[in-house]
Amino acid sequence: MKKAVVSLLILMLLLPFASFTAAQCPSEGHTVVLKAPAVSRTAEGELVGVATDFVITVAPGSGHVYVETWPLAEVDMQASARLAAQIAGKVLGVDMSKYDVFIQIKADSPIIGGPSAGGTMTVGIIAALEGWQVNPKVMMTGMINPDGTIGPVGGILEKAAAAHDVGAEVFLIPQGQRIQYVEETQKREIGGIVEINTQTKKVDVVEYAKERWGLQVIEIKDIYDAVYYFTGHRIPRPEAPAYVKIDTSFLRDDALKDYENTTAYYQETLERLKKSDVNYATYTTLMEALNEAAGILNQSKSALDDGRYYTTLSKDFQARIIIRHVDWYLGVKGPEDVQKILKTVDSQINASERIVSNVTIRGTTMLQAVAAAEERVEQAKSILDEAWKYYYSNDYWNAVGDAAFAYERAKTAVFWARLGERFAGNEVISREIVRTTARDYIDSSNLIVTYIESMYGDVIGNDLTQSIIQAEQYYEDGKYSAALFTAMEARVRAEVFLDTLGIDNQTILLDKLQGMKNDARTAIGLAQSQGVTPILAIAYYEFAESYEENGSPEDIQTAMIFYMYAKETAGLFLSAPPTPVSVPQDNTTGIPQIVIPTSTDSKTATDSATSTSKALSDGLVIALLVGAFIVGAAVGKKL
């Protein structure tokens, strides 16, 4: 008996270490085995590449995604796995609610990088759904984005080394990441004094891996490329229509009226300041602020003349915050006046919320606009909360500044709600459709931000983390639109950070910018092909162009962010089910050979980058407002 008990205990201890292929999986369905590179951190804090085994089974079920890891990863992979299953179903036109996905992951050491395995998991799920074999000599790294593109990741060099160590011949990386920047530290002792020099070195991963290991590194754009390299099967990409209309003429009348009203408000406030009895210091500060507003209004007029109507509205919005700050501050004689202003703003927010919440949503275009309106109501509330904090700390200057911002933000919520009504369709859509989308964005955003912190430490500050926390709070409060947009914006900023990390070469930034611009244009075209006018995406696209023209590195990055906003919002709430694709049944037997597409097949969006870089001239960064006015006119603030 004692011997039997000992044997049972030994068996129980060994079970966690048993081969993953021996784990219990459904008898139906298909299983594929892949390897993916990951990054682990040594006891000394050094990042090293490690190979990770993925065993992916897809079988008839009820839409569940099960993930098992050994050892436990630093970053939860569940959200990444769930997104991978969604994208696999979308690409193939398969209803994933009829399948269960089982993903078993094993590494030799704790790994960093739930998001970086998203592309690999998506490939595995697609292959299992179709019963395709995968090439064991191919490995990849890259996040999977909701639109099927492969997102940027860190640790490319370390992962390339890991791929070589386990016998890979082809290593797939996200498009635009072949150039990596590494820090080299050199120590030199002179007369007993140790001199340490750290230099940043540019490494071409494609050339480095080929020369050192004979490993072929290939940049890929999306999951369609990835599936082809792994399986030899070519899944047709969704194609945007040949003609894509991107203009904001639907905002022309709004922009003309708004510019006239804002300019008149500026003149009234300027005259009021000149006639006021404020002291010299206050007069000088307020006049500097109005001069800043005048400069922004000049930009608004230029945009208006160029037919960029959303940019006009956004510039008016920035200027109006400053003007209202000056206007209201001129009337402040004591704390009771500030309190009255804050109560006025509160009334405006409540009025805006009533208008937005009582709108009946009809059609996807209107849903996008109303979701934007709901987000702006919640932003106004948060800004007003900050204003009250300033008030109770006797900082009336900043209290009025935030109050002006909150007031104008609340009014833009009504603007978007009314704009949505112009594009109302016939189908009534429940607001609950936003809930699921918001949850997905929060999870994926949190995953990416945590991944960045795991890889690089606190290099992005706590702004993005706070945005995720705020999105979670909105979600818990039932404010799903605000949660969605807050999380989406955090994720976009995180992706731009990863995609531009260490890059100080403007040509490379322009290449990436052009790719993002083309992606945004394609997303808008796809939405239009489904009968949706993505008004928010079109507006963001135009706003990005206004920064792209300036040409400075800061403006280029701002343009990147807004192009990515455009791409993301273009696809929001498109409820039309994907059309099942007819997949060519080539290479259906045996392990597919490694086939490199021709230059025509793998043509990237950066082909026109050279002409773009010539067209862009170096511009001045828009000056930030002095003192307390920075809150109202931060670069990139949108209507």
Side-chain angles (χ1 to χ4, degrees), residues 120 246 388 456 466:
T120 298
I246 302 180
W388 278 109
Y456 304 107
Q466 289 301 314

Side-chain angles (χ1 to χ4, degrees), residues 384-639:
L384 181 59
D385 286 343
E386 292 300 315
W388 278 109
K389 291 177 183 178
Y390 282 126
Y391 170 77
Y392 287 120
S393 63
N394 299 320
D395 185 350
Y396 304 137
W397 179 260
N398 283 316
V400 174
D402 273 2
F405 188 7
Y407 183 83
E408 295 297 335
R409 176 50 86 202
K411 292 179 69 176
T412 64
V414 177
F415 170 82
W416 278 106
R418 296 305 186 213
L419 181 62
E421 289 179 325
R422 299 183 207 169
F423 291 86
N426 297 321
E427 177 189 3
V428 176
I429 300 179
S430 169
R431 296 173 191 268
E432 285 301 304
I433 195 174
V434 184
R435 180 173 173 271
T436 301
T437 308
R439 184 70 262 166
D440 289 339
Y441 268 93
I442 291 172
D443 290 345
S444 62
S445 301
N446 188 47
L447 198 63
I448 295 172
V449 171
T450 306
Y451 170 66
I452 292 174
E453 292 174 349
S454 299
M455 287 288 295
Y456 304 107
D458 188 24
V459 295
I460 54 175
N462 64 352
D463 286 349
L464 295 185
T465 300
Q466 289 301 314
S467 293
I468 302 300
I469 294 173
Q470 183 68 74
E472 285 282 10
Q473 187 61 56
Y474 285 149
Y475 188 87
E476 291 175 8
D477 294 341
K479 309 293 185 180
Y480 302 127
S481 295
L484 166 60
F485 277 91
T486 301
M488 182 195 76
E489 292 174 2
R491 197 188 79 184
V492 165
R493 295 200 306 273
E495 288 187 9
V496 170
F497 166 80
L498 276 174
D499 217 13
T500 58
L501 183 64
I503 298 176
D504 57 4
N505 185 300
Q506 186 156 324
T507 301
I508 295 176
L509 286 176
L510 288 171
D511 288 347
K512 291 180 178 291
L513 174 71
Q514 190 63 32
M516 293 175 184
K517 183 176 184 177
N518 290 342
D519 288 345
R521 186 178 183 85
T522 298
I524 291 171
L526 289 171
Q528 291 173 341
S529 70
Q530 295 189 34
V532 174
T533 303
I535 53 178
L536 200 60
I538 291 172
Y540 288 165
Y541 186 97
E542 181 203 272
F543 203 44
E545 286 185 318
S546 68
Y547 283 96
E548 178 184 351
E549 288 183 350
N550 291 334
S552 72
E554 295 85 357
D555 288 329
I556 289 173
Q557 289 187 320
T558 301
M560 286 179 175
I561 289 172
F562 278 99
Y563 280 132
M564 290 188 69
Y565 285 168
K567 183 185 76 170
E568 293 285 343
T569 55
L572 282 178
F573 316 127
L574 292 183
S575 57
T579 303
V581 297
S582 177
V583 181
Q585 296 301 306
D586 54 319
N587 293 334
T588 55
T589 60
I591 299 297
Q593 297 299 308
I594 298 174
V595 181
I596 308 302
T598 65
S599 57
T600 302
D601 293 331
S602 60
K603 186 177 181 63
T604 68
T606 60
D607 290 341
S608 58
T610 302
S611 59
T612 303
S613 62
K614 292 179 181 178
L616 290 176
S617 59
D618 290 333
L620 296 176
V621 180
I622 297 175
L624 295 178
L625 289 178
V626 295
F629 293 98
I630 190 171
V631 68
V635 171
K637 192 172 296 300
K638 60 189 182 296
L639 178 72

